[in-house]
Amino acid sequence: MHKYFLIILSILLSGCNPLAKNEKENFKDIALKNLTYSYMDGMSGDIFKFNLETNDDLNKIYQENNYKYSHFKCNNIKNYFVTGAISVEGEKLKNGKYTSSGYFKVCEDESMNVCIDKNQLEKLLTSNMSCRVVFGSLLQSSKVIADNILISKEAIRKSNFQ
C-alpha cells in the first residue's frame, strides 16, 4: 500500500513541476563584465568577482519558479573544478540592463579546500572558459538559464585586484 502511495505521490509532484525535464532557457544576451579578483585570509586561492549583465529580468524568473539557488558553473580546467554563484535577488536595473553580481573559484574539488590564484589560473588556461548560469531548488530539477558565457585568458589576465 505504501509503495502505491509513493508512486502516485511522485506522479502528482512531477506533474506540478513545469521544469521536470531540465529545460534550457538559454538567454543569448548575457555578458560578463568587471572581472576582478581578491584574496581572503584563511581561504585558499583567489575569488573572482564579476557582474552579469542581461536584457532579461533573471530575478523575475527566479522568483516565479520558486528557485532556491543560482549557481555559476564552468567547464573544468584540467583537474580543477570551477564553480560559483550569482546573486539574482540583488539584481539592479540600469539603462535598460539587469545586472547581477557573481563570483567563482577554481579548486581541486567541490570541497573548495585547495584552490588556485589568478597567476596559476592564467598558466592553466589554454582556451576560453565556458560557463553557465543554473537555477534550481530541492524539489525541482535544475534549469540552465544561460550557457556559453565565455571567459578568456586575456580577461583573467586583465582582471584587477580588489
Side-chain angles (χ1 to χ4, degrees), residues 82-118:
V82 184
T83 191
I86 304 292
S87 177
V88 293
E89 293 169 318
E91 184 178 69
K92 294 181 172 84
L93 177 63
K94 186 176 179 183
N95 299 328
K97 297 273 189 184
Y98 293 92
T99 303
S100 300
S101 60
Y103 76 90
F104 68 90
K105 285 186 68 90
V106 182
C107 304
E108 285 185 357
D109 57 32
E110 291 184 32
S111 69
M112 299 179 123
N113 290 330
V114 179
C115 302
I116 62 174
D117 62 26
K118 175 188 170 187

Side-chain angles (χ1 to χ4, degrees), residues 6 10 13 15 19 21-22 25 35 39 46 56 58 60 65 73 81 87 91 93 98-99 107-108 130 132 141 150 152:
L6 289 175
S10 65
L13 288 175
L19 302 173
K21 296 175 186 165
N22 194 10
E25 190 71 37
L35 183 64
Y39 179 82
D46 289 334
D56 298 293
L58 297 180
K60 182 178 176 186
N65 292 288
K73 296 190 172 270
F81 182 76
S87 177
E91 184 178 69
L93 177 63
Y98 293 92
T99 303
C107 304
E108 285 185 357
S130 180
R132 61 200 164 282
S141 298
L150 300 178
S152 68

Side-chain angles (χ1 to χ4, degrees), residues 16-116:
C16 294
N17 182 1
L19 302 173
K21 296 175 186 165
N22 194 10
E23 300 170 5
K24 266 189 175 181
E25 190 71 37
N26 205 2
F27 296 109
K28 299 283 186 203
D29 68 337
I30 291 185
L32 194 125
K33 307 270 184 173
N34 305 325
L35 183 64
T36 62
Y37 70 98
S38 60
Y39 179 82
M40 292 180 69
D41 287 337
M43 288 186 72
S44 173
D46 289 334
I47 299 171
F48 294 87
K49 298 176 187 174
F50 57 87
N51 289 329
L52 204 62
E53 191 176 88
T54 181
N55 292 328
D56 298 293
D57 187 350
L58 297 180
N59 188 36
K60 182 178 176 186
I61 295 164
Y62 187 83
Q63 297 297 329
E64 285 177 352
N65 292 288
N66 295 316
Y67 289 118
K68 302 299 179 208
Y69 63 80
S70 52
H71 290 179
F72 185 76
K73 296 190 172 270
C74 302
N75 293 347
N76 293 348
I77 302 168
K78 297 199 179 187
N79 296 327
Y80 290 90
F81 182 76
V82 184
T83 191
I86 304 292
S87 177
V88 293
E89 293 169 318
E91 184 178 69
K92 294 181 172 84
L93 177 63
K94 186 176 179 183
N95 299 328
K97 297 273 189 184
Y98 293 92
T99 303
S100 300
S101 60
Y103 76 90
F104 68 90
K105 285 186 68 90
V106 182
C107 304
E108 285 185 357
D109 57 32
E110 291 184 32
S111 69
M112 299 179 123
N113 290 330
V114 179
C115 302
I116 62 174

